[in-house]
Amino acid sequence: MAGSAHTPHAEAPPAVVDVLVVDDQETYLSVARYVVGATPGFRVAGEATSGEDAVRLAAALRPGLVLMDINLPGISGIEATRRLLAAAPDAVVLLMSTYPASDLPQDARASGARAYVHKEDLAPDVLVAVMAGRLDPGF
C-alpha cells in the first residue's frame, strides 16, 4: 500500500540510560537494582560501595545517571559527586539518604548533584523525572 510502507530503521530505538548505583548497604543496592530494572529505558551498568569506587567506576563506565548515597566509607557521597562530575560533567547525580532534606550537610546542594531524594521515595517515576530535569531538587 502506498504511504503505509514501514521502514524498520526509520525510528531510532529508545536510548538506554546506564545507571551506576552507589551504596554501602547490600539491602539498598538490591532495592536500587530492582527499581532501575523496573524502569523502562534504564539499566544497572555498575555498582560501587565507596565514594572512591564510585569515582573510578564512573570514569570507566560513563553512566548517564548515578544514584549516590551520601554516607559512604572513605570519601562521602557529596565529595564523590564533586569529583565524579569534574571528570564526567554530563552525568546526572541523584543524591540519596535516609535523612530528611532539612538534615543534609550544607555542602550537598553545592556538590553539583541534580537533586536529592529520600531512599524511601526512589521509584521509576523519580528516575524518569530526574533525567528529564523535572524532579524538584529536594534540597
Side-chain angles (χ1 to χ4, degrees):
M1 277 193 266
S4 66
H6 176 59
T7 307
H9 300 289
E11 294 179 20
V16 174
V17 177
D18 285 326
V19 180
L20 174 60
V21 180
V22 185
D23 202 290
D24 60 331
Q25 297 176 22
E26 178 56 40
T27 302
Y28 196 74
L29 284 172
S30 295
V31 169
R33 248 185 256 126
Y34 175 81
V35 171
V36 172
T39 309
F42 290 75
R43 69 176 169 215
V44 175
E47 297 177 7
T49 57
S50 72
E52 291 86 356
D53 287 345
V55 173
R56 260 192 308 279
L57 271 176
L61 299 174
R62 296 299 218 195
L65 175 62
V66 180
L67 302 179
M68 180 75 73
D69 184 24
I70 290 177
N71 292 318
L72 295 168
I75 63 171
S76 72
I78 293 169
E79 179 59 26
T81 295
R82 277 194 206 100
R83 293 181 189 185
L84 186 152
L85 290 174
D90 292 336
V92 172
V93 178
L94 179 61
L95 288 175
M96 300 181 308
S97 181
T98 57
Y99 298 124
S102 59
D103 290 345
L104 292 178
Q106 298 249 238
D107 54 350
R109 179 179 279 264
S111 69
R114 182 169 289 175
Y116 167 77
V117 68
H118 193 282
K119 286 183 177 183
E120 287 181 357
D121 296 328
L122 185 65
D125 62 322
V126 170
L127 299 184
V128 172
V130 75
M131 289 306 294
R134 295 189 320 257
L135 187 66
D136 181 325
F139 46 26

